[in-house]
């Protein structure tokens, strides 16, 4: 289930600030966890949009789902989510240690909070039994 995987992966990603951020292997792992968390995020959003009967949930693209979620939910900051999408796409091609460190700084400083905010708001809107079906 997307929701259960989302929560589980996020609990691991939250540990990023406690890791050795001088270690390139660790940075790579944080970036990989971020990419997975983003993937789970937009797919979970697609499920909630489908539940709400939104036709734009059928778009299938992360960008389309983010834009639809921005229209549907007042807690989605379109700019930050589109920036995460761009960073997720670029993460596959990060070969430079300075770029990796900048991305990890954004993950720790901004993106984890956005993932937490999404989780809190979905849990506020939908009963746990329903979320477990997503």
């Amino acid at each position: 289930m997307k929701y259960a995987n989302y929560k589980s992966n996020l609990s691991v990603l939250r540990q990023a600030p406690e890791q050795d951020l001088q270690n390139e292997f660790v940075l790579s792992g944080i970036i990989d966890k971020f990419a997975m968390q983003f993937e789970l995020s937009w797919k979970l959003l697609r499920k909630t949009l489908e539940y709400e009967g939104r036709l734009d949930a059928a778009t299938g693209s992360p960008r389309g789902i983010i834009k639809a979620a921005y229209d549907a939910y007042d807690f989605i900051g379109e700019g930050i989510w589109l920036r995460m999408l761009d960073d997720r796409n670029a993460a596959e091609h990060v070969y430079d240690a300075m770029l990796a460190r900048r991305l990890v700084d954004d993950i720790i400083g901004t993106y984890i909070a956005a993932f937490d905010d999404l989780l809190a708001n979905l849990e506020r809107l939908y009963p746990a039994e329903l979320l477990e079906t997503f």
Side-chain angles (χ1 to χ4, degrees):
M1 301 297 187
K2 308 259 183 284
Y3 170 73
N5 291 339
Y6 182 92
K7 282 182 67 169
S8 176
N9 196 74
L10 182 55
S11 71
V12 174
L13 186 59
R14 284 185 192 121
Q15 298 172 30
E18 303 158 14
Q19 305 308 309
D20 176 7
L21 301 178
Q22 304 308 311
N23 183 315
E24 286 187 43
F25 189 76
V26 170
L27 295 180
S28 177
I30 292 169
I31 292 168
D32 287 348
K33 278 293 181 189
F34 158 73
M36 175 60 70
Q37 190 66 34
F38 183 83
E39 192 75 12
L40 291 166
S41 297
W42 79 263
K43 289 180 178 180
L44 179 58
L45 284 169
R46 182 176 59 200
K47 289 288 190 188
T48 63
L49 292 168
E50 288 171 356
Y51 173 79
E52 295 295 343
R54 302 272 309 218
L55 297 178
D56 45 10
T59 173
S61 78
R63 186 171 302 279
I65 295 298
I66 290 167
K67 288 185 174 290
Y70 176 73
D71 281 343
Y73 301 113
D74 63 358
F75 55 84
I76 297 292
E78 185 180 27
I80 190 168
W81 282 91
L82 291 176
R83 197 172 105 214
M84 280 197 278
L85 172 61
D86 290 342
D87 280 347
R88 189 279 315 251
N89 292 341
E92 297 175 10
H93 308 288
V94 172
Y95 307 112
D96 180 283
M98 287 183 61
L99 288 174
R101 183 54 201 241
R102 184 213 47 88
L103 179 53
V104 167
D105 288 346
D106 285 345
I107 292 166
I108 292 170
T110 305
Y111 298 161
I112 292 173
F115 294 137
D116 279 330
D117 188 56
L118 174 61
L119 180 62
N121 279 291
L122 291 179
E123 288 177 340
R124 177 181 56 81
L125 285 177
Y126 301 106
E129 305 81 42
L130 179 61
L131 285 171
E132 293 295 334
T133 67
F134 291 156

